[in-house]
Amino acid sequence: MKRVLVTGAAGTIGIKTIKYLLSEGKYDVTALDIKNRKHYKTLKKYRKRIDIVYADANEREVIDALVKESNIIIHLAGTLPCYANISEDMMRNNEYNITKLIVDAIRKYNPDCYLVYSSSTNVYDEDDDVKSISSKIKGNCYYSKYKIKGEKYISKYLSNYTIARISYVLG
């Protein structure tokens, strides 16, 4: 069985991803998310069928250990676009730094690991052109900036990846 790590596992897309993987019956799933009441309640019903790791994805030791044992990583952790402009530091930490940790761990410990990175259609402008990091972006500027930066880091250092630009949809 393939070992799949899902970051941001208790989120709307994360939990649907876990349900799908379990329905296929051919994956050992590890869920990673921060521990709070909502996430604990969401993941509790799956605890007998998956491994659950409650930790901050910014912890290098946690990411290194999980990447070493994974065949596939579905990276969904991060900040929702609606909260993106609260703080550039938050976006840098919750988007780019976590992505960089995962990519660096894959390169160092598990180069055959496949990464699925959830980006967003929010990185596009009205003309369907990818927004330049240096351009002035209306709305979710920090969100787009760090999603694009993450995409560029992935494409520079990995060969086994998919970037899924998902529309922002409330669950």
Side-chain angles (χ1 to χ4, degrees), residues 29-44:
V29 178
T30 299
L32 172 64
D33 218 318
I34 55 174
K35 189 172 188 177
N36 60 37
R37 284 186 187 146
K38 181 181 176 193
H39 294 170
Y40 182 80
K41 184 178 176 183
T42 300
L43 294 171
K44 183 179 177 181

Side-chain angles (χ1 to χ4, degrees), residues 84-118:
N85 278 337
I86 292 173
S87 163
E88 184 169 9
D89 287 340
M90 178 179 67
M91 283 307 296
R92 186 182 310 105
N93 288 331
N94 291 348
E95 291 299 333
Y96 182 69
N97 288 349
I98 293 171
T99 301
K100 188 175 181 306
L101 283 175
I102 292 169
V103 170
D104 292 347
I106 290 171
R107 290 175 65 209
K108 185 173 183 179
Y109 301 111
N110 194 353
D112 292 329
C113 183
Y114 195 90
L115 175 66
V116 178
Y117 177 67
S118 66

Side-chain angles (χ1 to χ4, degrees), residues 3-5 16 18 28 33 35 44 46 54 56 63 66 71 73 80 91-92 95 103 122-123 134 147 154 161 171:
R3 296 209 35 89
V4 179
L5 169 64
K16 294 202 179 299
I18 288 171
D28 288 325
D33 218 318
K35 189 172 188 177
K44 183 179 177 181
Y46 299 99
Y54 292 108
D56 185 339
I63 293 299
L66 293 172
N71 302 107
I73 298 171
L80 293 173
M91 283 307 296
R92 186 182 310 105
E95 291 299 333
V103 170
N122 283 13
V123 302
S134 61
K147 281 293 188 183
I154 291 165
Y161 68 89

Side-chain angles (χ1 to χ4, degrees), residues 49-65:
R49 299 178 64 199
I50 66 174
D51 295 324
I52 302 171
V53 177
Y54 292 108
D56 185 339
N58 274 301
E59 295 178 33
R60 180 180 308 277
E61 299 80 19
V62 171
I63 293 299
D64 287 351

Side-chain angles (χ1 to χ4, degrees), residues 13 15 20-22 37-38 46 59 75 91 96 108-109 113 118 123 128 138 144 148 150 157 166:
I13 298 171
I15 205 67
Y20 172 77
L21 293 169
L22 291 174
R37 284 186 187 146
K38 181 181 176 193
Y46 299 99
E59 295 178 33
H75 179 34
M91 283 307 296
Y96 182 69
K108 185 173 183 179
Y109 301 111
C113 183
S118 66
V123 302
D128 292 332
K138 295 180 182 175
S144 296
I148 293 168
Y157 292 109
I166 303 166

